[in-house]
Each structure stands twice: as C-alpha cells, then as structure tokens.
Amino acid sequence: MQAAEVASARPFDSSDLAELFDRFADHPALLLAVSGGPDSMGLLAAVARWRQARPDGPALHVATVDHAIRPESADECAVVEAAARHFDLPAATLVWHGVKPKAGLQREARAARYRLLAAEAKRVGAGAIVTAHTISDQAETVLMRFLRGSGPLGLKAMAEITERDGVAIIRPFLWETGDRLKATALAAGLTPVQDPSNIDDRFTRVRLRKLIAAMAGEGLDIERLATFAGRMRLLDEALRHQAAKLAQASLKPTIVPGTQVFEAQSWLAEPLATVQMLLSRAIEEVGDSEVAERLAAIEELSVQVLMALAEGRAAKTTLRGAVVAVTAEGRVIVSREPMRRAARE
C-alpha cells in the first residue's frame, strides 16, 4: 500500500462505528484480537472509540499472540499492550509454546492462535472474539481455495460471524479496506508494527497478494473477488437449506449414539449437489470435524452412494472419521468410525 493511498483514506467516524458495532452492544464482553499490524491496530482504535460513545456497551479486552517464531515477536506484543493501555483496556499476551512445524507453519500458527484466543475469551467472560479481516482477506481466501481445487461452493466468502471452540468469531470489516483501518489507527496516534512475514514470498498469501495486484489491471481486483465469494456464499446457503429439507424428510430414528440413518431411495431424484451437501454435513456432525474436507473425496463418495442406491446393493466407505454404509434395502447409515468412537468415550 502506498503512503499516498493511506493518507487519502478516511478513518472510520462515529456514524461508521455505530453501523458496524451497535448490533454487538448487548454482548457482556468482547475480546479484540490485535497482532499489532495496521489492520488490527485500526480495529483496536475503532472499537475503543465506539465503546467510549456507548457507556452501556460491552467490556473490552485485548489479546495478542506471540507465536514465538521470530525474535521480534515479544517486542511487537509489548507494542500491542502499550496501545491497549492508551485506551485504558486490559491486555494479555498469549504465547504459542512448543516445537514449530517446518511444513504448514502459517496454517498451524493460525490454528494455535485461535485456540489461544478462544481460551482467553472464556477466561475473561467474552462470548466473542473480534478480528480485523478485511476485503483483501476475502479476496486472498477465495483465490487460495480456487488454486487448491475447491469447487464452486468451496469458494464462498468468509462469514461475518462464525463459531470456534464455543466462542463466536466476529469479522465486522469484511467489506472494508485495510487502508481505512490503518488510517483509523494513525488518527488515534497508534504506530502499527510491520510483520516481515507479510512480505515474505515463502508464504502463499504473500504471493497471492502480489498476484491479485497484478490481475487488478485486467479487472480482477479485490472487490470483484470478494463480490464473487459473497455470491458463492448465497448459493451455499440455498444448497444447505435444500439439503436440510432432504435430510429431515429422510432421517429415521435410531438409538445408536453418533449415528444417523436415512431412508435414502428418494435421494435418487435429487440433484447431486444436494446429496453431496447432505452427506458432507452428516459426516461433519458424526465424524472428525478437525479433519479438513476435500471436495474430490466428498464428490466421489456421493457418486458411490447414489450408484449403490440405484443398483440396490450394499456399499461402505470411510471419510473424515465417519463410516458411510449403504444397505441393499436403500438405507444410508452414517456412523462414527470405531477407533474414533472409542477415543471419544
């Protein structure tokens, strides 16, 4: 981002902040996830200013994560704690202890970060964590999923509110730009830190950021990518609705814990995508939700299930910690894989 672009960006004002945050005013407490970078420092400044205008608003807590990967990270966390004190907000530095993986470092760091943040949110009584994801993050996410072979509905946008480890994740800036957040931080007198990993070409997101900048001249910019992702989310919601209706119509009672039984002959009259979504949701509920879904695998499984139903034969396969069995009588039984069931009991 060029200095001129930041200088011309308009910081969030009181009306912007009310529109963004008033709907969260009934939370007893919010945990702000602040890394010290421009976006998250803008988040800190924006939410603190909003709270100052809302005496009845939630208590605010700040958390920053020291991934203990770079020697500078402890000093960067100290900058965040100082920024929180600037607004008279309590802050905690959460440290990711243990050996760091050589492969998939950013993925594992992200998982560790959310685990630590969720634990801290529960400790301070916050039902939600607020992050500074922006429209650029939306664009990078959809492009990353596309390059990894995701199908149309895997290209959906990040949701504004999700849940992780029993805590809500709120992303109020998903359709805002990072330059406005940085301008908001600077207007509040905060000096963001610069994480060198954000310009390190070893990381996929950094390379994608440069690719998006190069494609912008052809019309494929962050706004268009984010808009595309939003449209895919609408399609995803519609398909989930159809899959839920089909599941409700075909689901049969069972006394076996961790098992779903369907009278599935009616599935043969449904679009493949609906059956695929139904099976995906059933497997996620019954199996191992920590295992990432692979589109090709659920596509193959759905075809196998429908072929077995059409031919009136039994079939069985395992995916993501769940066993999916088709009976010759036309039932589909989704149950937890025995070893995983034993581990949970």
Side-chain angles (χ1 to χ4, degrees):
M1 184 184 303
Q2 300 298 318
E5 291 176 321
V6 175
S8 64
R10 180 175 64 85
F12 291 103
D13 59 27
S14 299
S15 61
D16 296 325
L17 298 177
E19 183 177 348
L20 286 167
F21 295 111
D22 277 359
R23 57 199 151 145
F24 307 122
D26 59 347
H27 281 262
L30 296 172
L31 180 68
L32 310 185
V34 182
S35 68
D39 294 350
S40 66
M41 289 292 242
L43 161 71
L44 171 59
V47 181
R49 181 178 175 185
W50 166 76
R51 179 61 179 80
Q52 289 168 357
R54 290 291 305 247
D56 59 336
L60 300 182
H61 299 265
V62 176
T64 185
V65 176
D66 182 355
H67 296 91
I69 296 172
R70 297 178 293 105
E72 307 90 351
S73 60
D75 291 338
E76 293 165 1
C77 291
V79 170
V80 173
E81 292 198 16
R85 288 195 297 270
H86 177 77
F87 297 106
D88 295 322
L89 297 179
T93 293
L94 315 174
V95 182
W96 181 24
H97 295 288
V99 178
K100 308 304 184 289
K102 293 182 179 180
L105 178 60
Q106 284 202 324
R107 180 182 66 251
E108 293 301 320
R110 179 179 181 275
R113 180 164 62 250
Y114 276 108
R115 285 196 302 270
L116 291 167
L117 289 169
E120 177 67 8
K122 293 173 183 177
R123 187 187 74 81
V124 301
I129 299 165
V130 187
T131 73
H133 290 101
T134 68
I135 192 171
S136 294
D137 296 303
Q138 285 279 39
E140 292 163 14
T141 298
V142 68
L143 190 55
M144 181 179 293
R145 289 174 177 173
F146 176 77
L147 293 176
R148 289 178 177 172
S150 180
L153 298 181
L155 302 177
K156 59 184 179 290
M158 287 186 285
E160 184 180 39
I161 302 176
T162 57
E163 184 177 307
R164 191 183 184 101
D165 297 328
V167 179
I169 309 294
I170 298 174
R171 305 176 181 91
F173 299 105
L174 280 178
W175 299 100
E176 303 291 346
T177 60
D179 55 349
R180 289 199 68 190
L181 279 170
K182 183 171 185 178
T184 302
L186 296 177
L190 303 182
T191 303
V193 299
Q194 299 297 328
D195 183 345
S197 67
N198 288 330
I199 56 173
D200 191 335
D201 284 343
R202 291 178 300 169
F203 298 116
T204 303
R205 279 194 179 271
V206 176
R207 298 193 299 272
L208 290 182
R209 200 168 297 139
K210 294 180 178 180
L211 179 59
I212 292 171
M215 293 189 299
E218 303 298 330
L220 191 60
D221 54 16
I222 57 173
E223 289 81 6
R224 186 155 294 180
L225 281 167
T227 298
F228 171 78
R231 289 168 178 160
M232 291 301 101
R233 175 159 290 279
L234 292 177
L235 291 176
D236 180 79
E237 291 171 356
L239 188 53
R240 284 178 181 271
H241 178 71
Q242 290 301 113
K245 288 175 60 178
L246 180 60
Q248 184 178 19
S250 56
L251 188 65
K252 296 300 177 184
T254 178
I255 61 172
V256 182
T259 299
Q260 296 182 16
V261 179
F262 302 92
E263 291 288 358
Q265 281 294 333
S266 62
W267 294 6
L268 294 170
E270 298 292 332
L272 174 60
T274 304
V275 175
Q276 180 179 315
M277 177 64 78
L278 188 161
L279 287 170
S280 175
R281 294 182 65 182
I283 290 169
E284 183 174 3
E285 293 170 8
V286 168
D288 190 345
S289 60
E290 295 299 315
V291 178
E293 180 174 89
R294 292 182 295 112
L295 179 67
I298 192 67
E299 285 177 338
E300 182 179 352
L301 170 66
S302 303
V303 171
Q304 290 174 352
V305 166
L306 290 175
M307 288 180 63
L309 288 170
E311 296 168 6
R313 58 178 173 81
K316 181 185 290 187
T317 190
T318 301
L319 183 64
R320 298 179 67 201
V323 178
V324 180
V326 183
T327 71
E329 296 75 30
R331 288 192 170 186
V332 172
I333 303 169
V334 184
S335 58
R336 192 169 300 144
E337 193 175 1
M339 287 189 300
R340 307 212 182 223
R341 180 184 293 114
R344 294 189 183 189
E345 293 174 350

PDB file of all heavy atoms in Angstrom, residues 314-339:
ATOM      1  N   ALA A 314     -25.231 -53.215  -1.418  1.00  0.00           N
ATOM      2  CA  ALA A 314     -24.584 -52.658  -0.238  1.00  0.00           C
ATOM      3  C   ALA A 314     -23.227 -52.059  -0.608  1.00  0.00           C
ATOM      4  O   ALA A 314     -22.581 -52.500  -1.567  1.00  0.00           O
ATOM      5  CB  ALA A 314     -24.408 -53.732   0.824  1.00  0.00           C
ATOM      6  N   ALA A 315     -22.825 -51.075   0.160  1.00  0.00           N
ATOM      7  CA  ALA A 315     -21.520 -50.441  -0.045  1.00  0.00           C
ATOM      8  C   ALA A 315     -21.106 -49.786   1.269  1.00  0.00           C
ATOM      9  O   ALA A 315     -21.955 -49.456   2.111  1.00  0.00           O
ATOM     10  CB  ALA A 315     -21.583 -49.409  -1.155  1.00  0.00           C
ATOM     11  N   LYS A 316     -19.809 -49.589   1.437  1.00  0.00           N
ATOM     12  CA  LYS A 316     -19.317 -48.969   2.671  1.00  0.00           C
ATOM     13  C   LYS A 316     -17.994 -48.265   2.380  1.00  0.00           C
ATOM     14  O   LYS A 316     -17.149 -48.786   1.647  1.00  0.00           O
ATOM     15  CB  LYS A 316     -19.110 -50.006   3.767  1.00  0.00           C
ATOM     16  CG  LYS A 316     -18.626 -49.418   5.105  1.00  0.00           C
ATOM     17  CD  LYS A 316     -18.332 -50.502   6.126  1.00  0.00           C
ATOM     18  CE  LYS A 316     -19.614 -51.158   6.593  1.00  0.00           C
ATOM     19  NZ  LYS A 316     -19.339 -52.118   7.728  1.00  0.00           N
ATOM     20  N   THR A 317     -17.820 -47.071   2.959  1.00  0.00           N
ATOM     21  CA  THR A 317     -16.560 -46.344   2.832  1.00  0.00           C
ATOM     22  C   THR A 317     -16.375 -45.483   4.066  1.00  0.00           C
ATOM     23  O   THR A 317     -17.322 -45.241   4.828  1.00  0.00           O
ATOM     24  CB  THR A 317     -16.531 -45.491   1.552  1.00  0.00           C
ATOM     25  OG1 THR A 317     -15.201 -44.984   1.355  1.00  0.00           O
ATOM     26  CG2 THR A 317     -17.496 -44.315   1.665  1.00  0.00           C
ATOM     27  N   THR A 318     -15.159 -45.010   4.265  1.00  0.00           N
ATOM     28  CA  THR A 318     -14.826 -44.184   5.429  1.00  0.00           C
ATOM     29  C   THR A 318     -14.276 -42.848   4.956  1.00  0.00           C
ATOM     30  O   THR A 318     -13.471 -42.794   4.020  1.00  0.00           O
ATOM     31  CB  THR A 318     -13.780 -44.891   6.315  1.00  0.00           C
ATOM     32  OG1 THR A 318     -14.305 -46.151   6.733  1.00  0.00           O
ATOM     33  CG2 THR A 318     -13.454 -44.056   7.536  1.00  0.00           C
ATOM     34  N   LEU A 319     -14.711 -41.778   5.607  1.00  0.00           N
ATOM     35  CA  LEU A 319     -14.238 -40.439   5.253  1.00  0.00           C
ATOM     36  C   LEU A 319     -14.316 -39.541   6.471  1.00  0.00           C
ATOM     37  O   LEU A 319     -15.345 -39.489   7.153  1.00  0.00           O
ATOM     38  CB  LEU A 319     -15.090 -39.859   4.118  1.00  0.00           C
ATOM     39  CG  LEU A 319     -14.671 -38.484   3.581  1.00  0.00           C
ATOM     40  CD1 LEU A 319     -13.282 -38.552   2.946  1.00  0.00           C
ATOM     41  CD2 LEU A 319     -15.687 -37.975   2.558  1.00  0.00           C
ATOM     42  N   ARG A 320     -13.226 -38.864   6.779  1.00  0.00           N
ATOM     43  CA  ARG A 320     -13.158 -37.879   7.860  1.00  0.00           C
ATOM     44  C   ARG A 320     -13.641 -38.455   9.195  1.00  0.00           C
ATOM     45  O   ARG A 320     -14.340 -37.796   9.947  1.00  0.00           O
ATOM     46  CB  ARG A 320     -13.964 -36.628   7.512  1.00  0.00           C
ATOM     47  CG  ARG A 320     -13.475 -35.885   6.283  1.00  0.00           C
ATOM     48  CD  ARG A 320     -14.336 -34.678   5.989  1.00  0.00           C
ATOM     49  NE  ARG A 320     -14.200 -33.655   7.023  1.00  0.00           N
ATOM     50  CZ  ARG A 320     -15.097 -32.700   7.248  1.00  0.00           C
ATOM     51  NH1 ARG A 320     -16.215 -32.664   6.545  1.00  0.00           N
ATOM     52  NH2 ARG A 320     -14.914 -31.797   8.193  1.00  0.00           N
ATOM     53  N   GLY A 321     -13.264 -39.677   9.487  1.00  0.00           N
ATOM     54  CA  GLY A 321     -13.626 -40.266  10.767  1.00  0.00           C
ATOM     55  C   GLY A 321     -15.034 -40.789  10.841  1.00  0.00           C
ATOM     56  O   GLY A 321     -15.522 -41.118  11.930  1.00  0.00           O
ATOM     57  N   ALA A 322     -15.718 -40.891   9.706  1.00  0.00           N
ATOM     58  CA  ALA A 322     -17.094 -41.404   9.673  1.00  0.00           C
ATOM     59  C   ALA A 322     -17.175 -42.569   8.688  1.00  0.00           C
ATOM     60  O   ALA A 322     -16.507 -42.581   7.655  1.00  0.00           O
ATOM     61  CB  ALA A 322     -18.075 -40.311   9.269  1.00  0.00           C
ATOM     62  N   VAL A 323     -18.012 -43.547   9.029  1.00  0.00           N
ATOM     63  CA  VAL A 323     -18.295 -44.667   8.136  1.00  0.00           C
ATOM     64  C   VAL A 323     -19.631 -44.406   7.462  1.00  0.00           C
ATOM     65  O   VAL A 323     -20.633 -44.140   8.134  1.00  0.00           O
ATOM     66  CB  VAL A 323     -18.360 -45.999   8.908  1.00  0.00           C
ATOM     67  CG1 VAL A 323     -18.717 -47.149   7.967  1.00  0.00           C
ATOM     68  CG2 VAL A 323     -17.031 -46.271   9.599  1.00  0.00           C
ATOM     69  N   VAL A 324     -19.652 -44.448   6.133  1.00  0.00           N
ATOM     70  CA  VAL A 324     -20.884 -44.256   5.372  1.00  0.00           C
ATOM     71  C   VAL A 324     -21.221 -45.604   4.726  1.00  0.00           C
ATOM     72  O   VAL A 324     -20.494 -46.089   3.862  1.00  0.00           O
ATOM     73  CB  VAL A 324     -20.725 -43.164   4.302  1.00  0.00           C
ATOM     74  CG1 VAL A 324     -22.043 -42.985   3.528  1.00  0.00           C
ATOM     75  CG2 VAL A 324     -20.305 -41.843   4.949  1.00  0.00           C
ATOM     76  N   ALA A 325     -22.331 -46.183   5.166  1.00  0.00           N
ATOM     77  CA  ALA A 325     -22.736 -47.506   4.675  1.00  0.00           C
ATOM     78  C   ALA A 325     -24.076 -47.413   3.963  1.00  0.00           C
ATOM     79  O   ALA A 325     -24.992 -46.726   4.418  1.00  0.00           O
ATOM     80  CB  ALA A 325     -22.832 -48.492   5.838  1.00  0.00           C
ATOM     81  N   VAL A 326     -24.176 -48.091   2.827  1.00  0.00           N
ATOM     82  CA  VAL A 326     -25.426 -48.201   2.079  1.00  0.00           C
ATOM     83  C   VAL A 326     -25.900 -49.645   2.201  1.00  0.00           C
ATOM     84  O   VAL A 326     -25.116 -50.581   1.985  1.00  0.00           O
ATOM     85  CB  VAL A 326     -25.226 -47.836   0.595  1.00  0.00           C
ATOM     86  CG1 VAL A 326     -26.556 -47.888  -0.154  1.00  0.00           C
ATOM     87  CG2 VAL A 326     -24.587 -46.453   0.462  1.00  0.00           C
ATOM     88  N   THR A 327     -27.170 -49.836   2.546  1.00  0.00           N
ATOM     89  CA  THR A 327     -27.705 -51.190   2.621  1.00  0.00           C
ATOM     90  C   THR A 327     -28.427 -51.531   1.321  1.00  0.00           C
ATOM     91  O   THR A 327     -28.835 -50.638   0.569  1.00  0.00           O
ATOM     92  CB  THR A 327     -28.689 -51.341   3.787  1.00  0.00           C
ATOM     93  OG1 THR A 327     -29.893 -50.616   3.487  1.00  0.00           O
ATOM     94  CG2 THR A 327     -28.095 -50.797   5.088  1.00  0.00           C
ATOM     95  N   ALA A 328     -28.596 -52.821   1.075  1.00  0.00           N
ATOM     96  CA  ALA A 328     -29.294 -53.262  -0.138  1.00  0.00           C
ATOM     97  C   ALA A 328     -30.750 -52.826  -0.136  1.00  0.00           C
ATOM     98  O   ALA A 328     -31.389 -52.751  -1.192  1.00  0.00           O
ATOM     99  CB  ALA A 328     -29.198 -54.791  -0.253  1.00  0.00           C
ATOM    100  N   GLU A 329     -31.263 -52.512   1.057  1.00  0.00           N
ATOM    101  CA  GLU A 329     -32.662 -52.070   1.171  1.00  0.00           C
ATOM    102  C   GLU A 329     -32.825 -50.573   0.936  1.00  0.00           C
ATOM    103  O   GLU A 329     -33.946 -50.056   0.981  1.00  0.00           O
ATOM    104  CB  GLU A 329     -33.210 -52.424   2.562  1.00  0.00           C
ATOM    105  CG  GLU A 329     -33.293 -53.920   2.855  1.00  0.00           C
ATOM    106  CD  GLU A 329     -31.926 -54.525   3.144  1.00  0.00           C
ATOM    107  OE1 GLU A 329     -31.059 -53.790   3.664  1.00  0.00           O
ATOM    108  OE2 GLU A 329     -31.742 -55.726   2.826  1.00  0.00           O
ATOM    109  N   GLY A 330     -31.732 -49.862   0.681  1.00  0.00           N
ATOM    110  CA  GLY A 330     -31.843 -48.442   0.349  1.00  0.00           C
ATOM    111  C   GLY A 330     -31.667 -47.495   1.520  1.00  0.00           C
ATOM    112  O   GLY A 330     -32.063 -46.329   1.433  1.00  0.00           O
ATOM    113  N   ARG A 331     -31.051 -47.970   2.576  1.00  0.00           N
ATOM    114  CA  ARG A 331     -30.757 -47.082   3.695  1.00  0.00           C
ATOM    115  C   ARG A 331     -29.300 -46.626   3.621  1.00  0.00           C
ATOM    116  O   ARG A 331     -28.432 -47.364   3.156  1.00  0.00           O
ATOM    117  CB  ARG A 331     -31.009 -47.779   5.034  1.00  0.00           C
ATOM    118  CG  ARG A 331     -32.475 -47.980   5.353  1.00  0.00           C
ATOM    119  CD  ARG A 331     -32.670 -48.404   6.794  1.00  0.00           C
ATOM    120  NE  ARG A 331     -34.083 -48.381   7.165  1.00  0.00           N
ATOM    121  CZ  ARG A 331     -34.537 -48.587   8.388  1.00  0.00           C
ATOM    122  NH1 ARG A 331     -33.680 -48.852   9.369  1.00  0.00           N
ATOM    123  NH2 ARG A 331     -35.831 -48.535   8.642  1.00  0.00           N
ATOM    124  N   VAL A 332     -29.060 -45.407   4.105  1.00  0.00           N
ATOM    125  CA  VAL A 332     -27.692 -44.896   4.247  1.00  0.00           C
ATOM    126  C   VAL A 332     -27.465 -44.645   5.729  1.00  0.00           C
ATOM    127  O   VAL A 332     -28.241 -43.936   6.374  1.00  0.00           O
ATOM    128  CB  VAL A 332     -27.470 -43.610   3.436  1.00  0.00           C
ATOM    129  CG1 VAL A 332     -26.104 -42.998   3.751  1.00  0.00           C
ATOM    130  CG2 VAL A 332     -27.574 -43.894   1.938  1.00  0.00           C
ATOM    131  N   ILE A 333     -26.416 -45.250   6.262  1.00  0.00           N
ATOM    132  CA  ILE A 333     -26.102 -45.125   7.684  1.00  0.00           C
ATOM    133  C   ILE A 333     -24.746 -44.438   7.816  1.00  0.00           C
ATOM    134  O   ILE A 333     -23.738 -44.904   7.271  1.00  0.00           O
ATOM    135  CB  ILE A 333     -26.051 -46.515   8.361  1.00  0.00           C
ATOM    136  CG1 ILE A 333     -27.382 -47.249   8.161  1.00  0.00           C
ATOM    137  CG2 ILE A 333     -25.730 -46.372   9.853  1.00  0.00           C
ATOM    138  CD1 ILE A 333     -27.344 -48.705   8.553  1.00  0.00           C
ATOM    139  N   VAL A 334     -24.745 -43.293   8.511  1.00  0.00           N
ATOM    140  CA  VAL A 334     -23.508 -42.542   8.758  1.00  0.00           C
ATOM    141  C   VAL A 334     -23.193 -42.672  10.239  1.00  0.00           C
ATOM    142  O   VAL A 334     -23.969 -42.231  11.083  1.00  0.00           O
ATOM    143  CB  VAL A 334     -23.651 -41.061   8.366  1.00  0.00           C
ATOM    144  CG1 VAL A 334     -22.320 -40.329   8.545  1.00  0.00           C
ATOM    145  CG2 VAL A 334     -24.133 -40.925   6.923  1.00  0.00           C
ATOM    146  N   SER A 335     -22.061 -43.293  10.552  1.00  0.00           N
ATOM    147  CA  SER A 335     -21.702 -43.537  11.952  1.00  0.00           C
ATOM    148  C   SER A 335     -20.244 -43.181  12.196  1.00  0.00           C
ATOM    149  O   SER A 335     -19.445 -43.086  11.259  1.00  0.00           O
ATOM    150  CB  SER A 335     -21.940 -45.008  12.315  1.00  0.00           C
ATOM    151  OG  SER A 335     -21.192 -45.861  11.458  1.00  0.00           O
ATOM    152  N   ARG A 336     -19.917 -42.996  13.446  1.00  0.00           N
ATOM    153  CA  ARG A 336     -18.551 -42.649  13.796  1.00  0.00           C
ATOM    154  C   ARG A 336     -17.650 -43.862  13.606  1.00  0.00           C
ATOM    155  O   ARG A 336     -18.002 -44.984  13.965  1.00  0.00           O
ATOM    156  CB  ARG A 336     -18.506 -42.171  15.252  1.00  0.00           C
ATOM    157  CG  ARG A 336     -17.207 -41.497  15.670  1.00  0.00           C
ATOM    158  CD  ARG A 336     -17.385 -40.843  17.025  1.00  0.00           C
ATOM    159  NE  ARG A 336     -18.438 -39.852  16.986  1.00  0.00           N
ATOM    160  CZ  ARG A 336     -19.283 -39.620  17.986  1.00  0.00           C
ATOM    161  NH1 ARG A 336     -19.217 -40.348  19.075  1.00  0.00           N
ATOM    162  NH2 ARG A 336     -20.217 -38.700  17.875  1.00  0.00           N
ATOM    163  N   GLU A 337     -16.472 -43.628  13.070  1.00  0.00           N
ATOM    164  CA  GLU A 337     -15.505 -44.698  12.878  1.00  0.00           C
ATOM    165  C   GLU A 337     -15.174 -45.322  14.230  1.00  0.00           C
ATOM    166  O   GLU A 337     -14.956 -44.595  15.217  1.00  0.00           O
ATOM    167  CB  GLU A 337     -14.239 -44.130  12.229  1.00  0.00           C
ATOM    168  CG  GLU A 337     -13.285 -45.154  11.702  1.00  0.00           C
ATOM    169  CD  GLU A 337     -12.110 -44.512  10.971  1.00  0.00           C
ATOM    170  OE1 GLU A 337     -12.041 -43.273  10.909  1.00  0.00           O
ATOM    171  OE2 GLU A 337     -11.268 -45.262  10.477  1.00  0.00           O
ATOM    172  N   PRO A 338     -15.137 -46.660  14.352  1.00  0.00           N
ATOM    173  CA  PRO A 338     -14.977 -47.304  15.655  1.00  0.00           C
ATOM    174  C   PRO A 338     -13.823 -46.788  16.491  1.00  0.00           C
ATOM    175  O   PRO A 338     -13.977 -46.506  17.679  1.00  0.00           O
ATOM    176  CB  PRO A 338     -14.779 -48.782  15.288  1.00  0.00           C
ATOM    177  CG  PRO A 338     -15.524 -48.935  13.997  1.00  0.00           C
ATOM    178  CD  PRO A 338     -15.334 -47.636  13.267  1.00  0.00           C
ATOM    179  N   MET A 339     -12.641 -46.618  15.896  1.00  0.00           N
ATOM    180  CA  MET A 339     -11.494 -46.156  16.662  1.00  0.00           C
ATOM    181  C   MET A 339     -11.726 -44.753  17.196  1.00  0.00           C
ATOM    182  O   MET A 339     -11.345 -44.420  18.297  1.00  0.00           O
ATOM    183  CB  MET A 339     -10.223 -46.186  15.799  1.00  0.00           C
ATOM    184  CG  MET A 339      -9.690 -47.583  15.545  1.00  0.00           C
ATOM    185  SD  MET A 339      -8.070 -47.539  14.758  1.00  0.00           S
ATOM    186  CE  MET A 339      -8.444 -46.665  13.230  1.00  0.00           C
TER     187      MET A 339
END
